[in-house]
Amino acid sequence: MAEASRWHRGGASKHKLHYRKEVEITTTLQELLLYFIFLINLCILTFGMVNPHMYYLNKVMSSLFLDTSVPGEERTNFKSIRSITDFWKFMEGPLLEGLYWDSWYNNHQLYNLKNSSRIYYENILLGVPRVRQLKVRNNTCKVYSSFQSLMSECYGKYTSANEDLSNFGLQINTEWRYSTSNTNSPWHWGFLGVYRNGGYIFTLSKSKSETKNKFIDLRLNSWITRGTRVIFIDFSLYNANVNLFCIIRLVAEFPATGGILTSWQFYSVKLLRYVSYYDYFIASCEITFCIFLFVFTTQEVKKIKEFKSAYFKSIWNWLELLLLLLCFVAVSFNTYYNVQIFLLLGQLLKSTETYSDFYFLACWHIYYNNIIAITIFFAWIKNMFLAIINDTYSEVKADYSIGRRPDFELGKMIKQSYKNVLEKFRLKKAQKDEDKKTKGSGDLAEQARREGFDENEIQKAEQMKKWKERLEKKYYSMEIQDDYQPVTQEEFRELFLYAVELEKELHYINLKLNQVVRKVSAL
């Protein structure tokens, strides 16, 4: 009979089940620790790429080019531009003065500028700035017949289909001739449309006076027309003190309704990645991140092979796959970004007389920052405790739902380890708890007598408690190491009597509750 019972139970003894639970909890703690280290590493990667100097560099440059007013007109700056006249005032005033710093504040040359501007004396202007215009053709919209006598021209909103590709004006230089794009920079998403690369382009001179004459010539010859829809002003700076590049784009959009809408982009990025010891520490964190990614991927592949289609029925598994996908995308972005820096940075720094297009590298830096931010968001959103201990938690919950104590609990393991340490160092006697338990039981009986309980009720309660303790000792004790034992007839009789007495007590309590309810209703 015992053999049959053991076969029915799967042939596993209690001490083996207990050992297996210990292994599960130990493994769970190890996974928690591993995932916690992964989160710390991911946070270092995310926040280690930024520093306060990026904020301050953006703030200084935005204050110079956005908030500086036109001389004599305090309310006219780049942010407040509303007309073509305001635009040319900005170009010939704040922009010109902000780009060309060729002497110290006392008009003395402090050091050799090597034919380059030093904005705020600390930021080197890389190459020369570039100005680019996009236009639309005439008749890209239809004038209502009643107004055709008053207005024969119609310039619609900007689209790639409406874009004007023909030469105009003086047609002698690049600013009057359409140029196709030779850059990999993404299209610009503005307030009024998505603008592609190319257009009517010119670069500024190294000389401040030549640039000013250029602006005056363009203004007098109506470089901005009714078909103009957007003008971009692009330039890049480098600050060696903090090893940061600042890529700046000022945008003026000319809607079909008239007027001007301004916007801007200031990107302070670290293109020279590995210079200081801290940079090499970040590099080691990147390598660690790749190792974690390989380990987690291997674990998920093993789970998919083991559980097959059942693997995809858990929401936690889908979250794991999403997190792994984001990690792979982040690694891919970072790899491509570093390769492009290696290939393009040297070429961009060599050309000092032409426009250096760092905007492409800045965009990819922003893409990488965005994807790593999304990755860390989902890494923290994932409830790592439920995701990792979900199986163990479900088993324990199932044990309690059927009225059976679980064979192993994390709290009991910690409590037992604590007791063992105290007993080992002779800080606590082994039988102390048992003495307290016996004393506490007697105190409860005396307290019940003082409160007026009937002696028969107290005796029945003590008898039921003894039955309960005897059954628990036989079937739920953690100290029993032998195989499962079948219930005898005498034990079944005791269990039946225990159930009958329990039913009587519940019936008695129910009657008392009904009496109380009737009294309350009568009131």
Side-chain angles (χ1 to χ4, degrees), residues 314-381:
S314 172
I315 186 64
W316 299 115
N317 294 336
W318 281 105
L319 188 57
E320 289 284 354
L321 293 178
L322 175 61
L323 190 58
L324 288 177
L325 178 62
L326 291 173
C327 290
F328 276 110
V329 173
V331 171
S332 302
F333 276 31
N334 189 42
T335 303
Y336 179 79
Y337 168 66
N338 285 308
V339 170
Q340 292 300 317
I341 290 177
F342 177 78
L343 296 176
L344 299 177
L345 190 58
Q347 299 177 5
L348 294 174
L349 294 176
K350 285 180 182 178
S351 55
T352 59
E353 299 295 330
T354 60
Y355 168 70
S356 299
D357 188 9
F358 286 89
Y359 188 77
F360 170 74
L361 298 178
C363 288
W364 274 100
H365 181 82
I366 299 302
Y367 295 158
Y368 174 67
N369 284 353
N370 292 340
I371 195 65
I372 201 70
I374 296 174
T375 302
I376 197 172
F377 171 78
F378 279 102
W380 280 103
I381 280 295

Side-chain angles (χ1 to χ4, degrees), residues 512-523:
K512 291 291 185 181
L513 288 175
N514 290 334
Q515 292 176 2
V516 172
V517 170
R518 283 195 295 270
K519 290 181 179 180
V520 172
S521 300
L523 296 177

Side-chain angles (χ1 to χ4, degrees), residues 60-170:
V60 167
M61 291 303 152
S62 62
S63 176
L64 176 62
F65 292 104
L66 301 181
D67 300 328
T68 303
S69 302
V70 175
E73 301 182 20
E74 295 182 356
R75 296 184 179 181
T76 304
N77 53 33
F78 184 77
K79 293 180 178 179
S80 65
I81 291 176
R82 294 297 178 266
S83 65
I84 297 177
T85 302
D86 293 341
F87 180 81
W88 284 119
K89 287 181 180 180
F90 167 78
M91 297 288 283
E92 299 173 22
L95 179 65
L96 197 66
E97 297 299 327
L99 288 175
Y100 295 95
W101 295 58
D102 50 9
S103 62
W104 196 244
Y105 60 89
N106 56 4
N107 294 326
H108 291 167
Q109 186 171 339
L110 185 62
Y111 40 72
N112 183 15
L113 295 177
K114 295 182 180 180
N115 199 28
S116 63
S117 176
R118 301 288 180 93
I119 299 176
Y120 280 124
Y121 313 111
E122 302 294 345
N123 304 279
I124 304 174
L125 182 62
L126 301 175
V128 293
R130 183 187 69 179
V131 181
R132 180 168 64 96
Q133 175 187 180
L134 292 177
K135 301 174 55 182
V136 295
R137 300 186 311 275
N138 185 18
N139 297 324
T140 51
C141 53
K142 186 177 181 180
V143 180
Y144 189 68
S145 58
S146 300
F147 292 91
Q148 288 180 356
S149 60
L150 301 175
M151 182 178 293
S152 59
E153 297 177 340
C154 186
Y155 297 88
K157 65 178 183 179
Y158 176 86
T159 63
S160 57
N162 293 342
E163 186 175 359
D164 188 0
L165 308 180
S166 61
N167 301 333
F168 75 107
L170 302 180

